[in-house]
Amino acid sequence: MGLIIKNGNIITSENEYIADILVEGEKIIAIGKELDIAGHEVVDATGKYVFPGGVDEHVHYNSFNSLGYETSHAALVGGTTTVGDFVVQPVGVGLKDSIINYKRDCLDGVATVDYVLHGIIMDPCEESIEDLVNMPSVGVSSVKLFMAYKGMPYYVSDEWIFKALCTGKESGVTIMVHAENADIIDVLTKQLIAEGKTEPKYFGDSRPVLSEAEATSRAIYMAKMAKAPIFVVHVTNQKAVEVIREAYNEGVSAYGETCTHYLMLNDENLARPNFEGAKYVCNPPLRPQSDVDFMWEAINKGWITSVGSDHCAVMGGFAEGKHKGINDFSKIPPGSPGVQERLYMMWTYGVETGRISRQKFVEVCCTTPAKICGIYPQKGDIAVGSDADIVVFDQNYRGAISIKDSLSGSDYCTYEGYEQKGIAEKVFLRGKLVAENGKFVGEFGEGKQVISKPYAYCYNKFKEGE
Ligand code: URP
Ligand code: ZN
Ligand code: ZN
């Protein structure tokens, strides 16, 4: 017996049409009008939208002091069926082994959402660079390097970024960068703290727009010299986007992602009283509203390819985790939870306000992230042969984001009180119902690794012979 999702208004990144979807096992096996329902379980989706399960290419579990996959059902109730998680590389452990160990220790039997893994080079050495070519053999085709975080184990110098770009392309590994100028941030942070400017509202001043634009530009120049593609994660502002856009227009394979919070929140959040600003401390920081408005334009025009959540539910939440920086903003653990709310915010404040079309919503939240991660068309599309990761969406639901509905494990919601128009009425992960109207109804620990194919989206121009 299969499953038929009947008569839904299917949204893809390109189309919208009313049809039935037939699922057998874990796959979509037919899409068409009036499919024969005999012998199948039927879900009536008349009057509802149906779109692919969200693909959130940028989340943090078990890194940056964050909670782990025991909270990953939060993604599912928010309509996200696949996450892209960044795997830390302890010093002395090979890059490939860091993936094998992480799977064994933190994922197998724990993950509830499907996941694609990104490596992180944290032990910069020749062995780590050489290991880049082995990453596809463990299903990993993207590796992040941090230009920021001076003095922390994440930071790597340009030497290693350039070497990673040169070697990564030999096996089709996409190099991702966190682009902020670590030295500038270090100087400004010390200055601000010495002046007694210790509150969260000064956090943004320590990491100005230009420190991000400069690092973005530097990373892209390195990619140009290495003749390699580059993907800049969590881009926040107009200047950085312009750097990416100009390089792309000149023929460089430079791409960028933004995150929900850079579309929803602005720097005023950092100045909230009673230390509440700490809830919004994330790297790079929230920007002025003019940049927020520009980021919507950037996704609409295709200058930015995708929207991740950068979900990072800091251990101890606001009460204990974020309060580590009560006397010094630089000690506030960065990151905010958002995997559960990403699609709702993008729908409510993007689609419902007319800022983006429904097709753009699917493109930036599902399809292009899957392409970037090398897991398309298995993930990110409603198509015959794709995994049956499907959201039946009731667009008439009206509610508000509240911590009482949150499964993130944190004690606060980044989008507390924001309107929520629409709800994932039913969420299917590989054909299995896992969430219904905000409640998790699946089984814990059933998430699987999605094997990433090398030479993914960021290599498209290379295929054209760049
Ligand atoms: O502040 C954030 N975004 N925390 C996660 C780490 C990162 O740089 O992505
Ligand atoms: Zn980052
Ligand atoms: Zn991140």
Side-chain angles (χ1 to χ4, degrees):
M1 182 169 105
L3 163 75
I4 289 198
I5 299 172
K6 192 137 197 62
N7 217 23
N9 198 349
I10 298 170
I11 315 172
T12 71
S13 60
E14 290 175 353
N15 291 313
E16 197 167 302
Y17 57 97
I18 293 175
D20 306 339
I21 301 170
L22 174 58
V23 174
E24 268 183 22
E26 299 192 337
K27 299 283 180 190
I28 296 172
I29 64 154
I31 301 173
K33 293 265 182 203
E34 316 260 325
L35 294 182
D36 183 5
I37 60 168
H40 298 306
E41 181 195 341
V42 176
V43 169
D44 183 8
T46 305
K48 310 274 163 64
Y49 286 112
V50 174
F51 53 76
V55 178
D56 187 342
E57 75 208 347
H58 190 151
V59 304
H60 297 275
Y61 290 121
N62 306 297
S63 64
F64 285 92
N65 296 307
S66 74
L67 299 172
Y69 279 86
E70 68 283 357
T71 63
S72 62
H73 54 315
L76 298 173
V77 300
T80 287
T81 45
T82 307
V83 297
D85 180 22
F86 293 86
V87 180
V88 296
Q89 179 198 19
V91 173
V93 176
L95 194 57
K96 178 179 151 188
D97 286 344
S98 70
I99 304 290
I100 295 167
N101 297 349
Y102 186 58
K103 273 204 73 191
R104 183 194 59 218
D105 298 340
C106 299
L107 284 155
D108 291 339
V110 185
T112 303
V113 70
D114 277 4
Y115 53 89
V116 57
L117 300 176
H118 314 292
I120 309 179
I121 294 189
M122 290 176 62
D123 187 3
C125 59
E126 296 303 338
E127 289 77 16
S128 293
I129 297 296
E130 282 160 22
D131 228 2
L132 280 169
V133 297
N134 301 318
M135 298 307 273
S137 73
V138 287
V140 175
S141 297
S142 40
V143 171
K144 181 176 175 185
L145 293 95
F146 290 84
M147 302 169 87
Y149 300 119
K150 187 171 174 168
M152 286 178 72
Y154 295 98
Y155 172 78
V156 296
S157 67
D158 292 350
E159 173 187 359
W160 302 105
I161 293 171
F162 183 64
K163 285 180 174 172
L165 285 160
C166 291
T167 303
K169 70 175 184 186
E170 286 172 21
S171 53
V173 169
T174 301
I175 298 301
M176 300 178 156
V177 284
H178 176 133
E180 286 184 287
N181 184 310
D183 288 306
I184 304 284
I185 292 166
D186 189 51
V187 171
L188 293 177
T189 302
K190 285 178 179 151
Q191 266 174 18
L192 287 160
I193 298 297
E195 289 165 14
K197 295 176 174 166
T198 59
E199 298 149 66
K201 70 175 176 190
Y202 297 107
F203 175 70
D205 298 336
S206 73
R207 311 177 85 102
V209 158
L210 290 182
S211 77
E212 184 185 334
E214 183 281 326
T216 304
S217 169
R218 185 159 31 103
I220 290 174
Y221 272 116
M222 286 192 272
K224 199 171 172 180
M225 286 183 272
K227 297 189 176 57
I230 190 153
F231 187 72
V232 185
V233 295
H234 47 47
V235 178
T236 69
N237 67 79
Q238 176 166 0
K239 287 210 159 40
V241 173
E242 284 171 354
V243 168
I244 295 168
R245 186 182 64 191
E246 274 155 37
Y248 183 86
N249 288 342
E250 276 175 22
V252 183
S253 288
Y255 301 89
E257 133 203 288
T258 192
C259 302
T260 330
H261 38 288
Y262 303 121
L263 296 163
M264 292 296 303
L265 307 171
N266 63 30
D267 55 356
E268 288 173 18
N269 288 79
L270 292 166
R272 287 204 190 181
N274 305 320
F275 195 59
E276 293 252 340
K279 292 178 178 174
Y280 309 95
V281 164
C282 57
N283 296 321
L286 299 175
R287 301 302 188 189
Q289 187 59 37
S290 53
D291 280 314
V292 175
D293 295 339
F294 183 85
M295 295 313 290
W296 281 105
E297 185 182 353
I299 58 169
N300 236 341
K301 301 253 171 79
W303 304 328
I304 286 290
T305 56
S306 47
V307 179
S309 69
D310 203 354
H311 173 85
C312 185
V314 169
M315 265 187 250
F318 176 60
E320 286 173 26
K322 291 283 186 177
H323 271 78
K324 288 186 183 132
I326 186 77
N327 296 317
D328 177 346
F329 68 75
S330 70
K331 300 206 163 49
I332 299 170
S336 310
V339 72
Q340 186 171 337
E341 294 84 17
R342 181 184 66 123
L343 293 182
Y344 295 136
M345 294 301 92
M346 291 303 293
W347 183 275
T348 307
Y349 292 90
V351 175
E352 288 280 350
T353 61
R355 278 183 174 124
I356 57 171
S357 68
R358 291 186 284 272
Q359 282 62 44
K360 180 59 83 173
F361 167 82
V362 171
E363 179 192 317
V364 298
C365 294
C366 314
T367 312
T368 306
K371 290 179 179 175
I372 287 161
C373 293
I375 56 173
Y376 178 86
Q378 181 185 351
K379 302 290 187 186
D381 205 358
I382 300 272
V384 172
S386 293
D387 280 3
D389 298 345
I390 300 168
V391 177
V392 178
F393 192 72
D394 175 7
Q395 69 275 18
N396 295 319
Y397 170 89
R398 293 291 178 266
I401 301 295
S402 165
I403 186 64
K404 72 177 170 30
D405 301 319
S406 170
L407 300 178
S408 74
S410 189
D411 59 357
Y412 75 97
C413 268
T414 310
Y415 306 99
E416 182 72 33
Y418 276 76
E419 266 187 280
Q420 181 187 327
K421 293 186 175 172
I423 194 164
E425 185 180 282
K426 288 190 171 20
V427 181
F428 296 91
L429 172 63
R430 286 179 276 106
K432 225 175 140 180
L433 185 67
V434 288
E436 240 176 335
N437 292 311
K439 303 276 177 256
F440 175 61
V441 297
E443 278 166 57
F444 286 95
E446 296 217 319
K448 282 189 186 166
Q449 185 185 7
V450 194
I451 300 302
S452 169
K453 294 187 289 292
Y455 297 101
Y457 186 84
C458 297
Y459 281 88
N460 279 352
K461 285 200 202 182
F462 283 72
K463 286 173 201 148
E464 289 162 17
E466 184 186 290

